[in-house]
Amino acid sequence: DVKVTQSSRYLVKRTGEKVFLECVQDMDHENMFWYRQDPGLGLRLIYFSYDVKMKEKGDIPEGYSVSREKKERFSLILESASTNQTSMYLCASSSGTGVIYGYTFGSGTRLTVV
Amino acid sequence: AQSVSQHNHHVILSEAASLELGCNYSYGGTVNLFWYVQYPGQHLQLLLKYFSGDPLVKGIKGFEAEFIKSKFSFNLRKPSVQWSDTAEYFCAVNPPRSGGYNKLIFGAGTRLAVHP
């Protein structure tokens, strides 16, 4: 089975801190995604990447950046954390040959910014 | 704005009741459609998907969904729910002209609680 591993299950950070959320997948997938999940809003796409060093903005990129230096790793960066970034962050990956296989999701990182 | 709408945010059913969760999307053209499920404390899993062909799609655990193009809908159904179906269900769309990036747009989700 494809595994998508997010480095932390829970994180608590202070306002203004720089926060790194790490995601690693082990099936050589081309596409990787970062979503945030909030009650009543579902999943909203922050950024995605379709190749190493390539990135595309999703629907809510403000306040975030990403890094993809290696194919298996996709990092989400909160440049200066704010309380409105308290959320569940989900990483996903998919094969570049087609969306027919859907996404494989990680277990999520619940970030609290205080 | 183009979107994916799930009509019910919370659904409460008794075991053996029938389930139908609504999903509508506003994208024109050819879309690919998905339902995902998130059981308590677990990661999202794919329930079923539609790409083409028979508009009635069968997925895992007895779920099925029907694509009605004229209504821009992809409703999820199960004839008889079990307590273990308690979860949050998300409809998702791969919009046309996504540039081949396999981008998925998700609905807000429906929380289903099944009582024994």
Side-chain angles (χ1 to χ4, degrees):
Chain A
D1 280 351
V2 176
K3 284 190 178 172
V4 177
T5 303
Q6 294 183 234
S7 54
S8 303
R9 190 80 173 99
Y10 298 94
L11 273 180
V12 180
K13 296 293 182 180
R14 295 194 179 276
T15 300
E17 277 193 74
K18 191 169 186 176
V19 180
F20 293 85
L21 303 184
E22 305 288 345
C23 175
V24 177
Q25 51 94 2
D26 66 359
M27 277 298 289
D28 203 36
H29 279 175
E30 289 80 1
N31 303 317
M32 296 187 74
F33 306 83
W34 276 106
Y35 286 85
R36 61 178 284 177
Q37 182 180 7
D38 299 289
L41 296 176
L43 279 73
R44 292 179 291 166
L45 182 63
I46 305 171
Y47 267 97
F48 62 102
S49 168
Y50 52 92
D51 202 352
V52 175
K53 296 190 185 295
M54 306 302 285
K55 61 185 179 183
E56 292 282 339
K57 291 181 180 179
D59 298 319
I60 52 163
E62 297 78 19
Y64 303 94
S65 62
V66 291
S67 172
R68 193 161 180 205
E69 297 295 320
K70 294 184 178 180
K71 191 174 186 179
E72 67 270 20
R73 185 180 297 271
F74 191 36
S75 303
L76 180 69
I77 304 156
L78 286 65
E79 298 291 343
S80 176
S82 64
T83 55
N84 63 12
Q85 293 178 311
T86 291
S87 186
M88 172 69 88
Y89 289 87
L90 297 177
C91 177
S93 72
S94 74
S95 167
T97 56
V99 73
I100 60 172
Y101 302 108
Y103 287 4
T104 300
F105 281 90
S107 297
T109 296
R110 187 167 293 282
L111 173 67
T112 302
V113 183
V114 298
Chain B
Q2 294 180 319
S3 66
V4 180
S5 300
Q6 292 184 239
H7 314 299
N8 310 101
H9 293 296
H10 293 92
V11 174
I12 301 172
L13 294 173
S14 298
E15 277 193 316
S18 64
L19 170 71
E20 181 160 2
L21 302 182
C23 173
N24 285 88
Y25 61 93
S26 60
Y27 300 91
T30 301
V31 295
N32 302 311
L33 300 156
F34 303 80
W35 276 96
Y36 281 83
V37 60
Q38 187 174 36
Y39 298 103
Q42 296 187 26
H43 61 274
L44 276 101
Q45 304 169 41
L46 182 64
L47 260 186
L48 49 78
K49 59 195 177 195
Y50 173 80
F51 284 78
S52 62
D54 188 345
L56 187 60
V57 180
K58 295 195 183 298
I60 61 171
K61 305 188 181 188
F63 286 90
E64 63 180 31
E66 184 175 14
F67 170 55
I68 304 179
K69 189 174 181 179
S70 61
K71 294 185 178 180
F72 295 85
S73 71
F74 189 55
N75 292 354
L76 181 71
R77 300 195 293 247
K78 186 171 184 179
S80 176
V81 296
Q82 301 172 315
W83 176 79
S84 57
D85 293 324
T86 294
E88 190 161 17
Y89 294 81
F90 294 92
C91 181
V93 174
N94 173 231
R97 296 178 295 280
S98 296
Y101 297 148
N102 301 341
K103 188 168 70 170
L104 287 183
I105 306 300
F106 286 81
T110 298
R111 286 187 183 270
L112 171 67
V114 180
H115 294 295

